[in-house]
Amino acid sequence: MNAFLASAEYVDSAHPRVAAFAREHARGADDRARGIALYYAVRDAVRYNPFVDFSDPRVFRASDTLASGEGFCIGKAALLAAAARAAGIAARVGFADVKNHLTTPRLAEFMGSDEFVYHGYAELWLEERWVKATPAFNLDLCRKFRVKPLEFDGREDSIFHPFDEDERRHMEYLRDRGSCADVPVAEIQRVFRETYPALYRLGRDAAKETFA
């Protein structure tokens, strides 16, 4: 369990910015309450944006995601895991491939697909078990696209809903890629380069695109 409590390169829980965030938001009488509070802080304080420079390792790092105020699913998952570790809660990052039936046309154009490989989430060790927590979509984004916001009670896995508020098909889980103590950035970048060449080649120009 030590690996899931220690600071890492991307789940950098020892970074002063992450530590301060954890002190501010990890409120509650026990780990479960603190984990819930951190989940909502990460979900809504950091805006979801998939148009990031995937060639830049910083977009995968917790402290950099927090500093930018926006990030995609892996950066936000790393931040939740890092903040949890800073609060003394064992945490790790998990990955799955998902199919987003409601992805935006602009994002689908660059991806060439509605399948998202290496979707990232966090797992927190609460009440003697691992619980999945997916802080990717902030509340404002969910309201705009009429996607059901993901809640987290520290006991049940918080994973994407299969249908949206209008009962349209939303998110489908295709395959599990397992969990890690830190984000395997080199491997994810390799897969992204092969799977989404146009999106990956945007590099810094990704910042010129708007998602929501």
Side-chain angles (χ1 to χ4, degrees), residues 63-134:
S63 59
D64 287 301
T65 299
L66 180 58
S68 69
E70 64 176 22
F72 75 123
C73 59
I74 297 178
K76 293 189 68 172
L79 175 57
L80 177 54
R85 291 182 191 179
I89 302 169
R92 62 191 186 187
V93 284
F95 304 95
D97 295 350
V98 300
K99 186 179 183 70
N100 185 349
H101 294 270
L102 297 177
T103 191
T104 65
R106 186 62 171 166
L107 184 56
E109 177 185 346
F110 279 110
M111 292 178 61
S113 171
D114 60 1
E115 183 174 327
F116 291 69
V117 298
Y118 270 105
H119 155 65
Y121 55 87
E123 291 184 320
L124 308 186
W125 181 256
L126 300 172
E127 298 180 340
E128 301 301 311
R129 58 184 292 266
W130 290 108
V131 186
K132 292 181 175 66
T134 306

Side-chain angles (χ1 to χ4, degrees), residues 181-202:
D182 200 13
V183 183
V185 170
E187 171 62 12
I188 293 173
Q189 288 178 320
R190 181 191 67 78
V191 173
F192 281 8
R193 280 196 304 271
E194 295 174 355
T195 310
Y196 314 119
L199 183 62
Y200 197 89
R201 284 196 301 268
L202 280 176

Side-chain angles (χ1 to χ4, degrees), residues 166-185:
D166 300 313
E167 295 305 315
R168 296 175 297 175
R169 190 75 181 273
H170 180 208
M171 203 71 76
E172 178 183 358
Y173 284 81
L174 303 176
R175 62 190 65 86
D176 180 22
R177 287 186 179 262
S179 304
C180 307
D182 200 13
V183 183
V185 170

Side-chain angles (χ1 to χ4, degrees), residues 29-166:
D30 55 26
D31 282 351
R32 176 171 165 261
R34 289 188 285 272
I36 292 171
L38 287 171
Y39 169 81
Y40 285 105
V42 173
R43 189 193 74 175
D44 295 330
V46 179
R47 184 175 69 91
Y48 176 76
N49 182 13
F51 285 111
V52 296
D53 181 0
F54 294 114
S55 67
D56 185 348
R58 290 176 296 182
V59 304
F60 299 89
R61 183 173 290 115
S63 59
D64 287 301
T65 299
L66 180 58
S68 69
E70 64 176 22
F72 75 123
C73 59
I74 297 178
K76 293 189 68 172
L79 175 57
L80 177 54
R85 291 182 191 179
I89 302 169
R92 62 191 186 187
V93 284
F95 304 95
D97 295 350
V98 300
K99 186 179 183 70
N100 185 349
H101 294 270
L102 297 177
T103 191
T104 65
R106 186 62 171 166
L107 184 56
E109 177 185 346
F110 279 110
M111 292 178 61
S113 171
D114 60 1
E115 183 174 327
F116 291 69
V117 298
Y118 270 105
H119 155 65
Y121 55 87
E123 291 184 320
L124 308 186
W125 181 256
L126 300 172
E127 298 180 340
E128 301 301 311
R129 58 184 292 266
W130 290 108
V131 186
K132 292 181 175 66
T134 306
F137 295 162
N138 51 290
L139 185 58
D140 287 344
L141 182 78
C142 291
R143 288 172 173 165
K144 179 172 183 176
F145 287 104
R146 293 191 57 74
V147 170
K148 296 177 182 178
L150 292 182
E151 310 297 344
F152 182 60
D153 66 3
R155 291 193 171 120
E156 300 296 325
D157 287 339
S158 174
I159 59 175
F160 285 130
H161 296 292
F163 298 94
D164 74 350
E165 296 282 8
D166 300 313

